[in-house]
Amino acid sequence: MLSRTAENLFWMARYMERAEATARLLTMGQRMAILPGAHHRDEWRSVVRATGALNHFPEGAQVTESDAIAFLMLDLDNPSSIRSSLLKARANAKSARTMLTQDMWEALNEGWRKLDSYDVAEARQQLPALIDWVKTRVMTFRGAAHSGQLRNEGHDFLRAGSALERAQMTLRLLDIKYYVLLPETEVVGGNRDHYQWTSVLYALSGARAFHHVYGGTYTPWQITDFLMLNRLFPRSVAYCYDQLAYRLNRLAGWHDARAACHDTVREMVADLEKLDSGEIFRAGLHETVQSGLMSTNRLGVEIAQAYHFG
């Protein structure tokens, strides 16, 4: 497979995953913003911070719901906005068209200019419907790939890109909750703390799965354990790391060569296996999350180097 094709598949999956993750962040922002006193706490700034793009807003200025929707959903100048992500995913798909099934292409191609017709006021008014539309588009694409694509190296690049992006978003959501949303003066374990933790679960569609594993008790330690370490939940960091290790090992087999990325992902899996939720909080959730983000960023660079992207 040409490196250019591998890069297009890898990044197409990342952009689709990013579009869905940003839609989920907007859902989380809406849930946070309806809590009493939210207008004093600037929850939407926390949501923007989770995307790593807070530097686009003036320091100290409040970020409104309209600001967040404009920036995270519609702004073509923001490379991580939903609109930008979907456009880039389609551009990648066009360049790797022969590697996609007809269903995968249609999932990307149908309605791809939908967001062009919305301004901020209309998008804000129809936000739940637009978020559902984005999630449906991404899930249709994912289902088409799962049911019809050959399990060749192209599929492995696609799944590796998706797992990398998903791990990063789960880490960012954990960071935004523990480090940003709860001011030091708030009592940990209070009603708002509880609501924010459960909002993280809902944003990741993990509420029902969590209840199945832990029952009806919601604590920061259990939710962190679930989202970081549970190997069965498909949005947990551990599951994504396992997927990355599996896909990169298959790619090493296809190419009969190993590189730094294969050692890095093995270390990431091994390091996570040593942890439990108590150890994560003793070391500091923020510090653990930041370490995870640095590792995933490094892995992305090493994958690009190993397979000659760009």
Side-chain angles (χ1 to χ4, degrees):
M1 173 181 286
L2 294 174
S3 295
R4 183 66 178 168
T5 302
E7 182 180 15
N8 280 317
L9 291 169
F10 183 79
W11 275 102
M12 177 178 61
R14 291 197 66 170
Y15 286 130
M16 291 297 281
E17 195 72 33
R18 189 173 298 177
E20 183 187 10
T22 304
R24 291 177 180 277
L25 268 175
L26 288 169
T27 301
M28 182 177 171
Q30 273 207 319
R31 287 178 59 86
M32 299 290 186
I34 62 175
L35 288 172
H39 63 287
H40 296 305
R41 298 191 304 272
D42 204 0
E43 251 75 347
W44 286 106
R45 172 174 286 272
S46 304
V47 171
V48 173
R49 184 191 294 267
T51 68
L54 190 57
N55 59 322
H56 290 265
F57 290 83
E59 188 174 352
Q62 187 169 30
V63 179
T64 66
E65 181 180 86
S66 294
D67 294 334
I69 291 172
F71 185 67
L72 297 179
M73 177 170 277
L74 301 176
D75 192 350
L76 282 177
D77 293 329
N78 173 16
S80 295
S81 74
I82 293 173
R83 191 175 167 199
S84 292
S85 296
L86 293 178
L87 289 175
K88 289 176 181 175
R90 185 176 179 277
N92 288 129
K94 284 181 69 177
S95 299
R97 177 71 181 83
T98 57
M99 297 296 293
L100 309 183
T101 67
Q102 184 64 25
D103 288 340
M104 290 170 71
W105 172 248
E106 288 177 359
L108 276 163
N109 203 39
E110 289 182 356
W112 66 282
R113 298 187 67 91
K114 180 181 177 73
L115 294 180
D116 293 359
S117 61
Y118 282 83
D119 59 23
V120 175
E122 291 171 322
R124 187 180 179 191
Q125 188 177 26
Q126 299 182 37
L127 187 59
L130 287 175
I131 287 173
D132 284 345
W133 176 79
V134 174
K135 289 163 66 176
T136 300
R137 293 255 56 80
V138 177
M139 286 189 280
T140 301
F141 170 79
R142 193 180 294 134
H146 179 74
S147 61
Q149 193 184 26
L150 287 173
R151 267 41 177 179
N152 55 16
E153 60 177 316
H155 188 73
D156 289 322
F157 278 115
L158 191 85
R159 295 295 299 271
S162 178
L164 187 74
E165 190 72 27
R166 185 176 290 189
Q168 287 185 334
M169 184 51 69
T170 299
L171 287 166
R172 285 174 177 159
L173 275 169
L174 280 168
D175 206 29
I176 188 177
K177 168 61 197 84
Y178 197 77
Y179 187 67
V180 180
L181 283 175
L182 190 65
E184 292 180 0
T185 53
E186 291 289 340
V187 177
V188 174
N191 289 335
R192 191 159 68 83
D193 186 40
H194 171 83
Y195 189 85
Q196 289 176 346
W197 276 108
T198 55
S199 292
V200 175
L201 280 178
Y202 280 107
L204 292 170
S205 296
R208 187 177 294 273
F210 176 87
H211 186 79
H212 181 77
V213 176
Y214 294 100
T217 303
Y218 296 87
T219 69
W221 296 269
Q222 288 176 327
I223 293 173
T224 298
D225 181 86
F226 182 66
L227 296 180
M228 286 286 293
L229 306 176
N230 190 293
R231 310 194 94 83
L232 301 180
F233 180 55
R235 295 188 181 280
S236 77
V237 178
Y239 182 92
C240 293
Y241 282 8
D242 286 348
Q243 276 293 303
L244 279 163
Y246 175 70
R247 296 298 167 183
L248 290 178
N249 191 51
R250 277 175 56 90
L251 287 170
W254 290 115
H255 291 260
D256 194 23
R258 301 184 69 84
C261 62
H262 300 95
D263 295 331
T264 295
V265 76
R266 188 174 57 199
E267 291 170 9
M268 289 163 61
V269 171
D271 289 345
L272 207 58
E273 285 176 341
K274 298 173 186 172
L275 296 178
D276 58 31
S277 58
E279 180 61 32
I280 290 174
F281 277 87
R282 279 191 293 274
L285 178 57
H286 174 64
E287 288 73 14
T288 303
V289 165
Q290 287 300 311
S291 175
L293 284 171
M294 284 191 288
S295 296
T296 53
N297 288 336
R298 173 185 161 197
L299 182 63
V301 171
E302 291 177 349
I303 291 172
Q305 291 171 341
Y307 297 103
H308 312 293
F309 293 175

